[in-house]
Each structure stands twice: as structure tokens, then as C-alpha cells.
Amino acid sequence: MASRQSNGRSTGRRAVTMNDVAQAAGVAQSTVSRILNDAPVPIPVSQETRARVLGIANQLGYRPDPIARALRGAPTMLLGAVVRDITDPFFAVAVEALSIEAKERGYSVVIGHARAAADEALVLTAVLEARHCDGIVLLGDFHRERHLVEDLRKTHARVVGLWHGTWLDSPFPTVGVDNAAGIRAALDHLTSLGHRQIAFVGAEMFGDEQARQRAYREHMAQIGHPAPAGYVHVTSNTIDGGRAALAPLLALRPRPTAVITATDVLAMGVLYGAYECGVGIPGELSIVGFDNIPMAAATVPGLTTVAMPMAEIVGAGVELSVGTDRWAGDGEVPHRVFEPPLVVRGTSGPAPA
Amino acid sequence: MASRQSNGRSTGRRAVTMNDVAQAAGVAQSTVSRILNDAPVPIPVSQETRARVLGIANQLGYRPDPIARALRGAPTMLLGAVVRDITDPFFAVAVEALSIEAKERGYSVVIGHARAAADEALVLTAVLEARHCDGIVLLGDFHRERHLVEDLRKTHARVVGLWHGTWLDSPFPTVGVDNAAGIRAALDHLTSLGHRQIAFVGAEMFGDEQARQRAYREHMAQIGHPAPAGYVHVTSNTIDGGRAALAPLLALRPRPTAVITATDVLAMGVLYGAYECGVGIPGELSIVGFDNIPMAAATVPGLTTVAMPMAEIVGAGVELSVGTDRWAGDGEVPHRVFEPPLVVRGTSGPAPA
DNA sequence: TTGTACGCGTTATCAT
DNA sequence: ATGATAACGCGTACAA
């Protein structure tokens, strides 16, 4: 009975421990532990004391201390999420989905930013691995953050990368989307509407960007319309970035009749820019986005876009990290890819004559 | 040396402990502890052993175990976020802001859903308080969840409520927005544009909803145009909810020339509905939302809305919970209210003649 | 200047 | 059927 108040939280009320329960019940603390944990195998517990202890524990409002349990090796049931830019609507939705999928498996999500800690990977590790997360999910492409990756490899947590883009030799399992198939679907949709002059607006920061841009170029060449100079416009992945991309695109000759964007955020920017410039959508210009973020359904007109199979991808990621079918760590590193369906809404229409 | 592998994580690599460092350096574990924690006051440490221990610790890749530290009473630097519907764009943004504000104070955010656990408050408590969060931030109005509130009062964590709406006798500190002032600003803006027939679209689930609706009624009465029957339409806080609200509103006589919505999500729904019905915005109908969610700037036309001072509110909440100026728990429970500025964009215009 | 011993709340392994 | 006891990794008062 050394320090009694020095240890207390600021609110004063000390938590009820097993010892308290044991003392109140007049039994040993180990007995309480057995009863409360439903003694796995050893030997039957007397129904009498069992009921008494359970009653007292309940009455005293006993709650097991997960920290003490974790110290004994129990999983923390914490899933870390490393997200580069939580301001990006896409990643916001991803965090939502992650939180939901994690919860279904009894896990809680801890959010960690990467932006400021890009240099000092230690900081991030101290924030996540140090929290003893059972698993860590990387949201986006981090293969340029070498320090981070190095640190993550040393960690005990099960790391899984989502949307790692072109980084297919990742040391961690990855789950992503078939960017090429998505872009192809978008292009096929546009060509079937008569479009031939199709531009592309991309963003550097996005991990899957390279794959999407490459797929665009390849497929354009395949259909006999290799992208002319200026048809690929790279900007920042923001509404404003997309908005500013429109003017230079419309100045091109031949003038594009359709635009595919690497993300819905860019598409919304282009859409807004078109509204400002008085360009009719889809009359004068068709737009196809990528991701199908929630607001894509509420733009005017609704945004035609390649739909990210969000639940599937995030679900697979959580499963690989902390699920019952998690990767054992042996054999080949698994890389899962999901196919994105095209969602046709109002921003795509027949090519102008 | 009892169980050595039963304790190990699945990856096998056991973490480096202070004991390992001490053994490698040939000193006592307590010495390592002192050196690594930069011995607060006691007495100077020999530079010789100090350097040696630090070197070995670094070389071995020693990392303090936060769990063991937490068991000793150290703060977990975890901030729990209880959010009712993480699917709501507004709360998604709130979580982002929370994550940013928390990080600035060295805290990480743990996300907990409330939706499914509304009945069993124990579940949620087991997910958050059990994680030994130093603080808990309630996002939205939970005063109906009596079990949750009861449990939260017993917790050691510092609970703070954000957007608790009309629940001003909350046992926890609260931070919110001046709903009445926001609605008033919206109404003044519309009346100054000549509008008199102004309807209101609200959502039940939102905590601040009552205050906003009441402010609407009161101010309408004040300006001599008490809201006629049907002018207050309550629906679900979704795009579809707002979309479906438009038709009945337009059927009213006198027909409204403007609509104020309780949230931007509803406003976007109304806007989309207008697009479907061919109602010109703002020519035939003006719309003013509430919250200023990011996509409000990208609608066509841009959404006029009451801007939630998000950073201020969340910042104040974090500060009250785990900040340096946190509420000591004594005296009157603090309730902070921030004023929301009106952001005028394209959905509001002169009333039709 | 450094080593020893104890306790935080659990679980698990011995004895009784 | 239950009680004592040893860890888990760390911080710290106390002894040397």
C-alpha cells in the first residue's frame, strides 16, 4: 500500500481491479481471474464461489484492464491506418470503410498521418507501432518513403498496403484496383459514344496515377488514336487543379471532346470549370472520373466514373492484416486486385458532331 | 525463463527490452531506464556508461513499450472519437479535423462507431475507455443514449461533446456552433435579396437540428412572415432526403422562393432535385445550406451556406479534453459556442418577381 | 554513480 | 476446488 493517490488519474476514481473483487469476495485474486475468464480447461469451479464472485464483480463494476492484458501478450485489437492526406475525400471514405470493416472484426482504427512525418519515419512508427497496433494498413502509395518502409519491416505488426499502385514488389501484401481495366472501361464507354479526341487529367501524388496514365496511353494507341501532345495534363489532385486544367485542354487542336480524369476530385474540378466557362456537359464535353466518391452521385449532372470497389478492397486489406485468413508471412507475398465497374451517369454523352 | 515462444508475436521477433540493453551493456536495467529517460533530477549520470548504453540501445533498436509505460500510469496519448455516422460527410470532415488537431498535441485518434452500439453502451465503452484513451470526444448529439452517457461519466477519460445541440445541461464540457446566429444570417441574407416565402428542410438525426429549426421559426415570425403549414419539411439527412423534399415544397401555396436546409448534404439533395425537375437555381429558387462541407464549393452553382468554424470547434474540443488548458473538472462545466460566418456562393440570388 | 527491489493489473503455473 | 507465486516491461524510492 505504497502510493495510492500518486497513481490515480486526475479524476481520482481508481479503477476496480481483480484484487478489489477478490478481497470483497474473500477469495484469491487468481480465483477471480479464472472465473472471469471462464477457465479454459483446468478443472471445474465451484458454482457457489463462481456466482458470488461474478455478482461482486458486476456490482463493483469491474472492468478488465486491457493494458495489463496487453502486457501479458494479448492483442491490442488496434488497427493502425497510415494515410498520406486525410483531406482527400477519397481517403476520407477509405478511412470510413476501414473503420467499418475493422469493427466487424472487433478492431478499432487508429489514425496516423504520414504527411509531416515523411522525413522522420521514426515519428510515425512511434505513433503507430508504438501503440502496439496488431496491424497497420497503408492507405496509398508509400514506396518512396524508404525510411517508413524500413521501419515498418521491422515492426511486429502485420502491414498491408492498399492502392500501392505500380509498386508490385512490395514487401507487404497489397490490395488494389485494376487501374488498366478501369481506364479501359472508361475509354471503351467513350469511344462507343463516338469520341476519339479524349484527353487525360492526372495527379502526381496519387499512387495509382502512373498505372492509370499508362493504361490511357496504351489503349489510346491501340484504338488508333495515340494521345497528341498536351492531351495528358498533370496537376494537383484538387478541385482547383481540375478546374484549372480545363482551359488549356480546350485550347488544344484537335480539341478534345472528352476527358478522363485520374480521380473524381479532378473530375469535379473539370466539371466546375466547365460550368464557369459555359461549356455544356455532356453536350460539348464528356467527363469520366475514377473512384466514385459519394459526391459523384450528387454533381450536376451526375458524374460518370469508374467505381472503386471500396468495401472489397478495404475488407481484403483488413482480412490480410488481422483477419482470420491473414497472411501467415510465409511463401509468396499476396497481391490482390479487384475489378472496378463503370458507373454511367450524366457527364458522358455522344460526341458532338 | 518460462515461456519464451508462447509469448512471442506471430512474426517471432521478440521486441528489445531494457533488460536486453542492460545485459548487453553490463549494467542494471534501472540504469538504462534512467539514461533513456534523461533522468529528471536525481543525480548526474556518468558520461561513459551513458554513451555506451545509448549506443547499444540504438544499435539494438530499442523502443520503449508504451503498454508497460501505460501500466505504470503514463498517458496513452490516445484520443477516442465517438461518431454516430461516419458515413456523413460532415462527420468525416470532423474526424479529419480532429485527427489534425490531436496530432498537433501529440495525440492519435481512435475511431469508435456508436450506431450499432447504441443499445449496448458497454460495447462502446469497452472499445474506447477500455483502450485507455486519455480523452474522448463525442461527435454529435448523444444525449439520448443514456447508457452511453452513464458509462462515460464513470470513465476516467476526459469527455467532451461537440455539436451537442440543445443539450446544454450536459455533464461534459461542450463545444458547438451558434445555430441561431447561423440561421439568422442565412435568413437575413435571403430577405435582403427580397425573399419572403422561405421554407426549411431539416433532418431528425442531427443534434443541432432542433436549434436550427427553432431559430428558423422564430426569425420568420420576427420578420412578419411566420412559416406557413408545410414550410418545415423534416427528412433523413441524405442527398436523397433533400432531393425528395423538393417536390412537396414546390407544391405549396404560396410557393417558396427560397429554401434553408439544416445541413449541406440536404442542400445538395435539394440542388440535385432542382436539376432533375428543371428548376432554375438561383433564378427560380434560392438555396442556403449549413456546414460548408468541402464539396459545397464545388457544386454547380456553388452552394451558399453557413460555414461551420470546424477547426476552431474541434480545436477547442481537443483542448478541453487533453490540451494544456483542459478543464480541471471543478467549477462550472464549460460550454463554448462559436459564431458561423455566412459564405455566399451561387445558389442564392434575388427573389423572382 | 549504480544496483536492488517493488508494484502497476493480468494470466499462467505451480502447489495445496 | 482454490491459494500462492512468477512473470510481462517499465519507473522509481531506496540501498550500496
Side-chain angles (χ1 to χ4, degrees), chain B residues 53-117:
Chain B
V53 167
L54 280 177
I56 295 192
N58 197 30
Q59 177 188 340
L60 259 52
Y62 168 78
R63 300 262 200 72
D65 183 348
I67 297 207
R69 282 187 162 164
L71 190 61
R72 297 258 330 148
T76 58
M77 304 308 278
L78 250 30
L79 186 60
V82 181
V83 43
R84 177 184 299 284
D85 181 12
I86 201 174
T87 287
D88 186 329
F90 174 77
F91 287 118
V93 176
V95 169
E96 294 173 12
L98 183 63
S99 175
I100 292 169
E101 292 289 334
K103 189 195 176 188
E104 287 180 2
R105 293 162 177 81
Y107 278 79
S108 299
V109 170
V110 184
I111 299 180
H113 300 235
R115 179 165 262 182

Side-chain angles (χ1 to χ4, degrees), chain B residues 22-33:
Chain B
Q23 216 163 332
V27 298
Q29 174 257 339
S30 60
T31 305
V32 178
S33 175

Side-chain angles (χ1 to χ4, degrees), chain A residues 286-312:
Chain A
S286 285
I287 306 175
V288 179
F290 206 120
D291 287 342
N292 194 29
I293 60 179
M295 58 181 123
T299 59
V300 173
L303 182 63
T304 295
T305 188
V306 179
M308 182 67 65
M310 182 61 76
E312 289 87 340

Side-chain angles (χ1 to χ4, degrees), chain B residues 284-344:
Chain B
E284 297 177 60
L285 184 76
S286 285
I287 305 176
V288 179
F290 206 119
D291 287 344
N292 194 28
I293 60 179
M295 58 180 123
T299 58
V300 173
L303 182 64
T304 294
T305 187
V306 180
M308 182 67 64
M310 182 62 76
E312 288 87 342
I313 290 179
V314 173
V318 174
E319 191 61 35
L320 278 170
S321 178
V322 296
T324 51
D325 289 337
R326 57 172 161 258
W327 181 50
D330 48 6
E332 205 168 341
V333 182
H335 297 291
R336 304 219 199 297
V337 174
F338 287 83
E339 299 302 315
L342 183 74
V343 175
V344 177

